[in-house]
Amino acid sequence: MTTDAAGPNRSLDLLNFFLADVRDGLGPYLAIYLLSVQHWNEADIGLVMTLAGLAGLAAQIPAGALVDGTRYKRAVIIVAALLVTVGSLSLPWLNDFTTVAVLQSAVGAAGAVFPPAIAAITLGMLGPRAFVRRIGRNESFNHAGNAVAATLAGVAAYAFGPVAVFWLMTAMALCSIAATAGIPANAIDHAVARGLHASAQAGDREAPSGLRVILSCRPLLVFGGCAALFHFANAAMLPLVGQKLAMKDPALGTSLMSFCIVAAQLVMVPMAMLVGARADRWGRKPLLLAAFLVLPLRGFLYTLSDNSAWLVGVQLLDGVGAGLFGALFPLVVADLTEGTGRFNVSQGAIATLQGLGASLSTAAAGQMVVREGYSAAFLMLAAAAGVALVLAALLLPETRGVAAAEAWKGKAAPAGAAKAPSEA
């Protein structure tokens, strides 16, 4: 990175901050709006949100392939941000079930573009050597944006009603578009952005297809399985905590839930900064194992008390585990796909596995609560996280400095192995 990159870096900071509220559309606020303003029933709301989630899952790999193949990455972000905004803003006027289902499915699919596009622009701007520190900074601004947006949404909705969330998201979408436009097109090396070396020729850029990236690289496959288990264990924990808080004190349940979300996001900021500062020095694996270790511990601690203060305090551990994992995710994928030209489609493939794990999580946990109670559900989720920890400890190599060619064979490079040409 050169000194004249200060402007693009500031734009990248702002993009991560403002896009935090746009990338998931209305998210949990959609259910609140449809229930309280449009007076939908819970079954229709759940079906719409499920369809949107499935559309987002289906779009992960194509979104990664699109980002890999296009030289218009900034335009992809801008178009996706506009689609998310228009799809959400149209709800007050186009609110029949079919229209809302189609619009929210489009929003879900568009949102799949943002993570690989931001990672690609970051890698293409700064190269592999500076990627680690910059990803930590990206995640820090993203979590800060989430925390600020959730706080503003809560205040605005209290003062002006649920519709205020629409205008907040519109403002942040416009700011994210302005931030994207602030990144010069010529600041992005598109070969490096997709995981190729800077010297790669055009003929080298179409190597393995998206699905083969997952199926041919043993460490990447192990990482994908661990990621799916991590999200299976993690996704249902916060909703279960919210239910317990609501049963304990219905009047404060929503407020305590909001506090849990904001507080966890704030904890994620220093965790992301830690990854950026230490992942090259300590390696990826110790930090990744720490993220996996926190999750079973969190699940077990939830079973010890129903006290609201205890539950909220334990929820702060979510910021540790998710903060570390979120920042490490693109680093591990970048390590294992360097030189293949399939960095972003690999992110999309693993994100699909994560989404499947998260989708199964709430259903499995709900069934366990009905049959055996909340403590059994938390212990089931903790056990899944424990399996992820064991798999990562035993089967996943340290990926820092692992050449992609060795990763495809499932072999880790020896300590101190020579860096790839792009890191020299």
Side-chain angles (χ1 to χ4, degrees), residues 57 60-61 115 227 329 345-357:
L57 274 181
Q60 294 288 348
I61 293 176
F329 171 77
V345 78
S346 298
Q347 288 192 92
I350 295 181
T352 301
L353 294 176
Q354 292 181 168
L356 288 172

Side-chain angles (χ1 to χ4, degrees), residues 238-325:
L238 180 59
L240 292 183
V241 170
Q243 291 169 25
K244 294 192 76 172
L245 291 171
M247 290 191 305
K248 184 75 175 178
D249 190 341
L252 291 176
T254 301
S255 298
L256 289 172
M257 184 71 161
S258 297
F259 178 80
C260 285
I261 294 171
V262 173
Q265 291 289 334
L266 292 176
V267 173
M268 290 177 195
V269 173
M271 292 301 102
M273 294 172 65
L274 176 66
V275 170
R278 291 292 181 262
D280 270 342
R281 183 177 301 178
W282 296 348
R284 285 38 158 172
K285 189 169 181 177
L287 292 166
L288 193 63
L289 293 179
F292 286 144
L293 178 61
V294 166
L295 199 48
L297 175 63
R298 181 172 147 228
F300 171 72
L301 291 175
Y302 281 137
T303 67
L304 300 183
S305 174
D306 290 339
N307 180 269
S308 296
W310 174 262
L311 294 173
V312 171
V314 173
Q315 176 58 24
L316 294 179
L317 290 175
D318 181 33
V320 178
L324 290 173
F325 184 86

Side-chain angles (χ1 to χ4, degrees), residues 10 80 86 153 231 371 408 424:
R10 283 193 294 270
V86 171
H231 281 75
R371 294 180 181 181
W408 295 107

Side-chain angles (χ1 to χ4, degrees), residues 205-253:
R205 296 180 186 175
E206 298 301 326
S209 66
L211 291 178
R212 285 184 58 196
V213 168
I214 279 289
L215 298 176
S216 303
C217 177
R218 194 180 308 162
L220 197 63
L221 187 61
V222 172
F223 181 63
C226 292
L229 284 170
F230 181 92
H231 281 75
F232 175 85
N234 189 56
M237 284 194 185
L238 180 59
L240 292 183
V241 170
Q243 291 169 25
K244 294 192 76 172
L245 291 171
M247 290 191 305
K248 184 75 175 178
D249 190 341
L252 291 176

Side-chain angles (χ1 to χ4, degrees), residues 82-162:
L82 289 173
L83 281 174
V84 170
T85 305
V86 171
S88 299
L89 284 179
S90 60
L91 285 179
W93 296 276
L94 305 172
N95 50 45
D96 64 280
F97 177 84
T98 301
T99 303
V100 172
V102 170
L103 287 173
Q104 291 306 304
S105 296
V107 167
V113 166
F114 297 127
I118 292 175
I121 288 174
T122 303
L123 184 59
M125 282 177 55
L126 302 175
R129 292 190 65 180
F131 186 60
V132 174
R133 186 172 294 275
R134 181 63 242 196
I135 279 294
R137 184 165 159 176
N138 280 2
E139 287 295 304
S140 297
F141 274 92
N142 175 260
H143 295 312
N146 271 319
V148 170
T151 302
L152 291 177
V155 173
Y158 179 80
F160 304 107

